[in-house]
Amino acid sequence: MKILLLSPYSPHPTNSGASQRTALVLESLKELADVDLLGVGNNAHFPENRRDDLRESHNLIGVAEPLDWKHSPAGRFFARAFPRLSRALMDGLRHQRHSFAHDPRMLGKLERLVASNRYDAVVVRYLRPACRSGALQLKLPVFIDIDDVDIEFLETEAQRNYGSRAGQWIRQRNLRQLREIYPELVGRAA
């Protein structure tokens, strides 16, 4: 059996809970099958200077970052000109469906990778990377390891009374939107 593990966090160094969890999931899967690791998301969690070690020690086969608002010309300009404001506005005001939409460019890469390596299953750390990478569109079993559920995090954040009224309104709006789409997203996984 051959499994592809998609994770936004590197299994090494284990200096955070997310990295420790990735290392544990990877080691557990290795007891069952041959496992390759594909880093998905922010490249900062898979720094260039550690990738060779990760290739040898953890079967890292690459790192892929889905396209996001900051990759568009307007997004790059806005992010450089107003870094804190742009992240707050773009992450807060876009509809949650966009936060979980798959990147067609990344889905194509993932489909080619799965076909060329003949994986039997895909395991993904967290729902958002499963959606953004396009893993839920694949024609093979996809299992999602969810230890911090997005909707639970947003529920906690929406209940907290901090920041401005606008910030509170955005958190509550995001929670309502996520509640609308969450069952459909989770239902796609095995």
Side-chain angles (χ1 to χ4, degrees), residues 62-130:
V63 178
E65 184 174 7
L67 289 177
D68 205 349
W69 64 267
K70 61 184 174 258
H71 294 105
S72 69
R76 283 193 299 273
F77 170 77
F78 199 58
R80 278 192 295 261
F82 310 100
R84 290 182 66 201
L85 179 62
S86 65
R87 180 159 181 83
L89 284 175
M90 297 308 285
D91 289 347
L93 293 180
R94 69 179 168 190
H95 193 287
Q96 288 298 300
R97 185 171 297 284
H98 299 298
S99 299
F100 287 86
H102 77 274
D103 173 3
R105 178 189 59 95
M106 192 160 173
L107 174 59
K109 288 180 182 178
L110 191 57
E111 287 173 331
R112 288 188 295 279
L113 185 65
V114 165
S116 66
N117 288 286
R118 299 180 183 222
Y119 293 108
D120 299 299
V122 175
V123 175
V124 189
R125 295 277 335 272
Y126 304 115
L127 180 60
R128 191 179 311 254

Side-chain angles (χ1 to χ4, degrees), residues 25 45 53 84 89 98 108 122 124 150 161-162 175:
V25 169
H45 294 291
D53 291 340
R84 290 182 66 201
L89 284 175
H98 299 298
V122 175
V124 189
D150 292 273
N161 191 12
Y162 67 94
L175 177 59

Side-chain angles (χ1 to χ4, degrees), residues 2-5 34-38 58-59 61 117 119:
K2 199 164 183 186
I3 296 174
L4 177 62
L5 172 62
D34 292 328
V35 183
D36 288 335
L37 172 64
L38 177 65
H58 294 88
N59 292 352
I61 59 171
N117 288 286
Y119 293 108

Side-chain angles (χ1 to χ4, degrees), residues 37-43 46 51 55 60-65 106:
L37 172 64
L38 177 65
V40 224
N42 186 338
N43 286 330
F46 291 87
R51 289 186 188 175
R55 282 183 188 94
L60 178 70
I61 59 171
V63 178
E65 184 174 7
M106 192 160 173

Side-chain angles (χ1 to χ4, degrees), residues 3 5 20-33 35:
I3 296 174
L5 172 62
Q20 292 170 7
R21 175 88 175 197
T22 300
L24 288 171
V25 169
L26 183 59
E27 292 308 310
S28 297
L29 290 172
K30 283 183 176 180
E31 292 178 14
L32 303 171
V35 183

